[in-house]
């Protein structure tokens, strides 16, 4: 069993650099209207639209010709850590981040470098789960990136010149930003990372023009649901990007685990609001108008940060979200309110007997860990689905969910809070589900019923995001085979694959330039698996490292 409470990866210092190959002719201003209705040719949000679908309407690449994909261009980051970002593309100009807060601006059709940036990180930066960055946001003529030392930076899109650089919080307390910001009107909205260090989580909004703070919505709330004042170091970090309901002007954001994972001061009567939840936020003032908690009084590290995808199901505005605890949730959303509709297990899970009709889970007491009590719990703390986003296809009505089936032995461990130090309070060891010959899956699931339409299995864990397209193709990647793959959205048939340089852990996107469709994805193994997965990580021991962005198009022959 793992005896260390947490594993650290410390960033080495890089020299800040900015180079310019050439200037663009004229950058296309990204207006609020364009963000609300992105053109099919562009990819203006980290998941393509405010609703978080991960869907491109483009159909030039389709089930009939996807086997003709070839490499259009590549670029190497020169870094061996995890590459999880989604490129952003605006009228032929691409912005994409790499590990250590590298940022590239390129010609999206040719890969020609326009400008690049490397963050000079302090020597004592430490984060729990690799030095990843998941992407940028664009607004006006500006590109916005959060950093591992808890800064938010605004760049001129054409030149790369820094317009402003603000400190969001104190990185020495282990606040960090690893997710892509979200732009609503003239606000840049981002959540903080640091739940394994006892930060107090929050979503913050900042003026697009100046970086000035507009509001801050704390996610570990002082409402009596925490013992004493433990909410002050309670985690609930909202470390993935949320979604935005344009019709009701409401943000929906997932929140992380409580800090520490297990605390002897807590009883099961302490629900620990709003950890492991989806919260509804008024983007004008940061008021949390409602919340739904997936795992009250969580003791397994089952972060609730996974994408709150906004879909209309049976005519009802809904949230569909496959959570780390192994359950797929269907929630109703209405004018800033969230209510439970149904939930279905979609992976091996033994922690809940059921989720009641009121939305509250009934916990299997024998599988709840405590100080001095070791249990076998499924899924493991890395979740039935972790950060890597699902996708939705409005044509099939299905969600495509990257899934992992694994379990853990876990027990509570005494820990005291010290600013900047690990604050986990658990010992754990992961293992494969007994009898299974696979860990990873890609599943097509109906969010209205929870029924699985098809699935593909993979020996090693799945850590790549998913893309759906108007051509009826689903794109995703795997680890041990290093493949980027295309599947038929209807039946799951594998239509094409290519072996890349490393394990694919990036978030694929699609866009077009001058009428030609492209698909882009990072290959570059890293992230939480080699740091946290213990014996299960042995399935990935032989994966070469190194980040390469692969961009594909149809063969001209």
């Amino acid at each position: 069993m793992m005896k260390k409470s947490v594993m650290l990866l410390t960033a080495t210092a890089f020299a800040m650099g900015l180079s310019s190959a050439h200037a663009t002719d004229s950058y296309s201003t990204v207006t609020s209207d364009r963000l609300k209705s992105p053109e099919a040719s562009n990819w203006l949000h980290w998941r393509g639209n405010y609703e978080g679908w991960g869907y491109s309407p483009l159909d030039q690449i389709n089930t009939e010709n996807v086997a003709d994909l070839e490499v259009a261009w590549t670029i190497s980051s020169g870094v061996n850590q995890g590459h999880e970002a989604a490129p952003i593309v605006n009228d032929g100009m691409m912005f994409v981040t790499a590990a250590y807060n590298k940022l590239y601006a390129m010609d999206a059709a040719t890969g020609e470098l326009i400008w690049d940036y490397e963050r000079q990180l302090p020597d004592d930066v430490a984060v729990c789960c690799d030095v990843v960055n998941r992407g940028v946001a664009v607004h006006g003529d500006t590109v916005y990136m959060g950093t591992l030392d808890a800064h938010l930076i605004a760049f001129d899109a054409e030149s790369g010149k820094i317009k402003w650089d603000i400190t969001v919080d104190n990185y020495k307390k282990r606040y960090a930003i690893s997710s892509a910001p979200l732009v609503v009107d003239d606000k840049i909205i981002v959540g903080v990372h640091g739940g394994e260090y006892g930060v107090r989580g929050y979503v913050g909004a900042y003026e697009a023009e100046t970086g000035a703070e507009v509001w801050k919505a704390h996610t570990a709330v002082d409402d009596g649901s925490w013992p004493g004042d433990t909410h002050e170091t309670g985690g609930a970090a909202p470390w993935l990007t949320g979604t935005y309901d344009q019709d009701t002007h409401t943000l929906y954001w997932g929140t992380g685990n409580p800090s520490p994972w297990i605390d002897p001061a807590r009883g099961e009567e302490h629900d620990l609001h709003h950890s492991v939840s989806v919260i509804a936020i008024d983007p004008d003032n940061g008021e949390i108008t409602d919340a739904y908690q997936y795992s009250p009084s969580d003791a397994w590290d089952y972060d609730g940060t996974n994408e709150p995808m906004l879909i209309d199901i049976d005519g009802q505005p809904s949230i569909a979200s496959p959570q780390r605890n192994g359950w797929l949730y269907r929630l109703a959303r209405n004018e800033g309110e969230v209510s439970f509709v149904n939930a279905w297990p979609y992976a091996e899970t033994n922690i809940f007997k059921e989720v009641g009709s009121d939305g509250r889970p009934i916990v299997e007491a024998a599988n709840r860990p405590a100080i001095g009590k070791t249990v076998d719990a499924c899924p493991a703390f890395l979740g039935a689905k972790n950060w890597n986003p699902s996708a939705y296809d409005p044509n099939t009505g299905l969600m495509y969910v990257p899934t992992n089936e694994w379990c853990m032995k876990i027990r509570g461990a005494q820990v005291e809070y010290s600013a900047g130090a690990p604050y986990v309070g658990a010992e754990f060891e992961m293992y494969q589900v007994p009898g299974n010959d696979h860990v990873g899956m890609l599943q097509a699931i109906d969010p209205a019923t929870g029924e699985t339409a098809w699935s593909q299995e993979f020996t090693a864990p799945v850590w790549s995001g998913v893309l759906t397209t108007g051509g009826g193709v689903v794109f995703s990647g795997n680890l041990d085979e290093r493949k980027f793959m295309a599947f038929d959205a209807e039946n799951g048939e594998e239509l094409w694959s290519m072996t890349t340089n490393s394990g694919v852990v990036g978030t694929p996107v699609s866009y077009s330039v001058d009428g030609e469709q492209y698909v882009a994805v990072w290959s570059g193994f890293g992230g939480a698996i080699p740091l946290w997965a213990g014996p299960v990580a042995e399935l990935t021991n032989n994966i070469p490292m190194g980040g390469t962005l692969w961009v594909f198009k149809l063969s001209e022959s």
Side-chain angles (χ1 to χ4, degrees):
M1 179 174 291
M2 181 177 178
K3 298 300 183 183
K4 291 181 68 177
S5 290
V6 73
M7 301 180 71
L8 304 180
L9 187 59
T10 303
T12 55
F14 277 77
M16 189 189 315
L18 188 66
S19 62
S20 179
H22 67 268
T24 57
D25 293 333
S26 179
Y27 184 73
S28 299
T29 299
V30 179
T31 63
S32 292
D33 285 343
R34 290 186 63 204
L35 289 173
K36 291 175 180 177
S37 299
E39 306 85 6
S41 59
N42 292 316
W43 195 269
L44 298 181
H45 297 273
W46 117 273
R47 294 304 290 145
N49 59 13
Y50 274 131
E51 292 75 22
W53 288 2
Y55 170 76
S56 168
L58 296 173
D59 60 4
Q60 184 181 83
I61 298 169
N62 56 55
T63 56
E64 299 298 320
N65 62 20
V66 67
D68 296 328
L69 281 185
E70 64 178 13
V71 177
W73 56 270
T74 65
I75 187 170
S76 172
S77 69
V79 177
N80 282 342
Q81 278 66 37
H83 289 65
E84 298 179 352
I88 295 294
V89 179
N90 177 32
D91 287 351
M93 193 167 180
M94 175 187 287
F95 306 96
V96 65
T97 59
Y100 290 113
N101 291 125
K102 285 191 168 189
L103 173 59
Y104 302 94
M106 293 171 288
D107 185 310
T110 67
E112 181 180 2
L113 185 66
I114 299 170
W115 56 263
D116 67 300
Y117 169 83
E118 285 190 46
R119 180 71 174 167
Q120 184 175 348
L121 291 167
D123 290 335
D124 57 345
V125 162
V127 290
C128 80
C129 311
D130 204 2
V131 288
V132 301
N133 182 278
R134 298 185 178 93
V136 300
V138 289
H139 176 64
D141 59 356
T142 308
V143 180
Y144 302 90
M145 177 179 72
T147 71
L148 294 169
D149 56 343
H151 280 233
L152 187 60
I153 309 175
F155 301 86
D156 180 88
E158 290 191 87
S159 68
K161 180 180 178 180
I162 294 176
K163 295 184 172 184
W164 50 257
D165 178 346
I166 64 162
T167 300
V168 171
D169 220 307
N170 185 354
Y171 79 88
K172 292 181 180 292
K173 292 184 177 179
R174 306 312 176 207
Y175 282 93
I177 300 172
S178 57
S179 58
L182 183 71
V183 179
V184 174
D185 298 329
D186 58 353
K187 301 178 186 69
I188 313 303
I189 302 169
V190 69
V192 295
H193 194 155
E196 272 59 61
Y197 296 92
V199 305
R200 186 182 182 192
Y202 61 86
V203 179
Y206 306 86
E207 288 184 359
E209 191 66 28
T210 66
E213 182 181 302
V214 181
W215 52 256
K216 184 181 292 185
H218 281 105
T219 50
V221 299
D222 183 12
D223 66 351
S225 65
W226 298 77
D229 62 355
T230 57
H231 64 280
E232 294 287 353
T233 54
W239 54 272
L240 286 177
T241 308
T243 51
Y244 172 58
D245 185 337
Q246 300 179 52
D247 293 335
T248 64
H249 193 48
T250 305
L251 293 167
Y252 294 96
W253 222 281
T255 69
N257 58 278
S259 298
W261 297 3
I262 300 169
D263 185 344
R266 296 178 195 147
E268 290 189 47
E269 71 275 14
H270 296 115
D271 280 356
L272 313 177
H273 298 154
H274 293 298
S275 67
V276 195
S277 302
V278 58
I279 56 176
I281 308 174
D282 184 330
D284 291 334
N285 56 27
E287 178 189 359
I288 297 177
T289 58
D290 204 0
Y292 170 77
Q293 193 165 37
Y294 302 110
S295 298
S297 196
D298 175 66
W300 304 269
D301 187 39
Y302 288 152
D303 295 50
T305 50
N306 289 0
E307 60 280 1
M309 197 178 293
L310 308 185
I311 306 172
D312 283 356
I313 301 176
D314 299 330
Q316 180 183 58
S318 303
I319 294 173
S321 190
Q323 281 299 308
R324 208 151 145 168
N325 61 21
W327 291 73
L328 169 64
Y329 290 81
R330 175 181 169 183
L331 309 174
R333 52 186 166 90
N334 180 35
E335 299 295 338
E337 296 181 351
V338 185
S339 58
F340 176 79
V341 177
N342 213 333
W344 308 272
Y346 68 96
E348 185 75 20
T349 178
N350 66 5
I351 45 108
F352 298 158
K353 295 178 181 179
E354 62 176 315
V355 178
S357 59
D358 61 353
R360 190 173 182 87
I362 300 172
V363 174
E364 185 65 67
N367 298 326
R368 181 180 176 87
I371 303 296
K373 177 186 176 183
T374 302
V375 304
D376 287 274
C378 307
F381 66 92
L382 288 182
K385 197 190 80 62
N386 201 276
W387 74 273
N388 43 325
S390 308
Y392 172 70
D393 184 341
N395 303 301
T396 64
L398 299 174
M399 293 181 68
Y400 301 86
V401 183
T403 307
N404 291 308
E405 294 199 301
W406 41 20
C407 301
M408 64 180 170
K409 289 188 178 294
I410 182 171
R411 64 182 288 161
Q414 295 283 356
V415 64
E416 293 185 4
Y417 175 75
S418 177
Y423 193 48
V424 174
E427 299 169 349
F428 48 83
E429 184 171 272
M430 294 176 57
Y431 59 89
Q432 286 188 246
V433 174
N436 274 14
D437 60 359
H438 68 277
V439 175
M441 293 190 294
L442 177 62
Q443 300 188 86
I445 305 176
D446 185 339
T449 65
E451 294 181 358
T452 299
W454 57 259
S455 66
Q456 289 275 358
E457 296 178 353
F458 307 99
T459 302
V462 171
W463 215 246
S464 166
V466 184
L467 168 71
T468 57
T469 70
V473 182
V474 177
F475 290 94
S476 191
N478 69 17
L479 290 182
D480 54 324
E481 296 177 304
R482 315 194 321 267
K483 286 184 177 180
F484 186 52
M485 301 165 290
F487 303 94
D488 188 308
E490 292 280 358
N491 58 34
E493 178 187 355
E494 184 177 321
L495 303 173
W496 169 87
S497 70
M498 177 173 173
T499 302
T500 69
N501 61 295
S502 183
V504 179
V505 299
T507 305
V509 308
S510 189
Y511 60 92
S512 67
V513 180
D514 295 331
E516 188 162 34
Q517 184 179 356
Y518 298 80
V519 177
V521 68
W522 274 117
S523 178
F525 181 49
I529 288 176
L531 299 173
W532 289 82
V536 182
E538 294 175 8
L539 295 171
T540 65
N541 280 349
N542 297 321
I543 299 174
M545 306 293 279
T548 298
L549 183 72
W550 295 82
V551 180
F552 303 93
K553 65 177 183 178
L554 291 173
S555 171
E556 296 179 359
S557 60

